[in-house]
Amino acid sequence: MSDTNTTNVTRETYNGLKNVQYAKLFPRFVSVIVDLAITAFVFFGFLLFTQNVICKNSVYVKNAEAEFYGYNVDSGLFEYKEDGVTLQEKTFDSYKGYEDLFYSYYTDYLVNECPEKYRVSYDGLDKYWFNVHVLGQPDARAQYSDLDKLDALVTTTGPALFTYRLDGENNPMYDEIALPKCLNNDPEAVISEGDNLTLTRYFYISDADNKDNQTHYYALAVQDLSSRKFVSNAYDTWYLHYYKLPIISCLVFSMLIFFFVIPMCFKNGETLGKLMFHLGLVNKLGYRYSRLQLIPRFFIMAIVVVVVYVLFGISLITGGILTFLALASYGLAIFTKDHKAIHDFIAGTVVIDKVHSEIFDNVNHEERVRQEIESVQPIRHDVEASKKDETVLYVNENFNKDKDNLNGDK
């Protein structure tokens, strides 16, 4: 018998030997859940250790973090909390504090203080630019072509709250900061508490008060800062070395241990979950699998997980894609005769119930075992032949005499 004569795992029962039996769906799925749960637990343990012990003490990570946090603080939009580590938003009691903050950010920090390569210029029209782009005033000089990109907060709410200051002849003063309409063109007028609250909410609404998720200019300014190339580069560098690389390395390492190294240590490719439910692997012909088959079986899973994470990061999209792929893979196992998932097709493996299976190394090993069984002569006890030959124990004259003697003694 050769391998070419055996086409599948449903070999004919011979001399009482059992065929391999496919793993039932329930224990197989539960074993997968067990493996994933253990892997996730170890992954988070590795990640916490890597980030808090290795990354936080890495000079490279410290420099990247300091650079990113430094840009946020230098912009004036953020400040350190009392712990000197965590950033927080700047807050003011009046609208004027926010107005000055944003004016300083756009016309001082971005013009004079940020990295020189990324500095901007308003060609001497810094106040006019601020009036148009922050306070929502009309571009009376027709200077800008980007007004269609302004947020609706600026184009609708801004004009309702602010207006150009007027000179003695009621001509707009484009090169002066626009005034709130409630001041009636009097910069020295006292603003009421209600008007101050309305103007302040244009610039800033705290998360606790922003129950309707309204847009405020502080969020737009932070978004602008984040979009600046020097800030996004610093953030990407810090995020790569503090989050992305540790997550990928810890994830691959955890999966490598439980889905590759541990199965390599057992002759039937068992993971911890499979050991609990007495499951194992065979090749597609039903014989002992080769450990080389674990390579495509494992790496196809690892590559998919890493690629999806690199593309989408930690997000609902990532979770949705991986969940869909897992359901598709194990859904395939439901509808295939031998309950193969996608990685089983790729690796050429079959998950079996070890308790109800006979696993041979190959077809020659199977044939040799069968021949050995055939060569064993069964033990027979022929009563009739024994009587004729008078060789059956205790059925003889001596036994009858002993029986009579026993009766006589009574």
Side-chain angles (χ1 to χ4, degrees), residues 47 51 236-251 309-314:
L47 183 61
Q51 287 184 321
D236 290 342
T237 300
W238 173 70
Y239 184 84
L240 175 67
H241 293 87
Y242 188 73
Y243 284 103
K244 185 167 285 189
L245 289 181
I247 288 175
I248 291 176
S249 59
C250 291
L251 185 59
Y309 170 73
V310 169
L311 292 177
F312 302 102
I314 299 178

Side-chain angles (χ1 to χ4, degrees), residues 28-43 46 250-266 268-275 281 289-303 305 326 329-330 341 343-344 347 349 351:
R28 183 173 183 185
F29 290 162
V30 175
S31 71
V32 170
I33 293 174
V34 170
D35 286 329
L36 292 177
I38 296 174
T39 303
F41 179 79
V42 174
F43 160 71
F46 283 146
C250 291
L251 185 59
V252 172
F253 186 63
S254 301
M255 293 177 64
L256 185 69
I257 291 175
F258 292 101
F259 292 99
F260 187 75
V261 174
I262 290 178
M264 275 285 190
C265 297
F266 295 98
N268 296 313
E270 297 95 330
T271 60
L272 295 182
K274 286 183 173 66
L275 282 172
L281 296 179
Y289 88 109
S290 168
R291 283 183 168 83
L292 293 177
Q293 291 177 282
L294 285 177
I295 296 176
R297 183 181 172 87
F298 164 75
F299 281 100
I300 187 62
M301 293 190 297
I303 290 172
V305 171
S329 179
Y330 286 100
H343 49 276
D344 288 313
T349 56
V351 180

Side-chain angles (χ1 to χ4, degrees), residues 35 97 131 154 181 189 227 241 277 279 297 315 327 336 348 359 383:
D35 286 329
N131 285 331
V154 176
K181 285 185 175 182
S227 68
H241 293 87
F277 290 90
L279 307 180
R297 183 181 172 87
S315 64
L327 291 175
T336 53
I359 304 176
V383 177

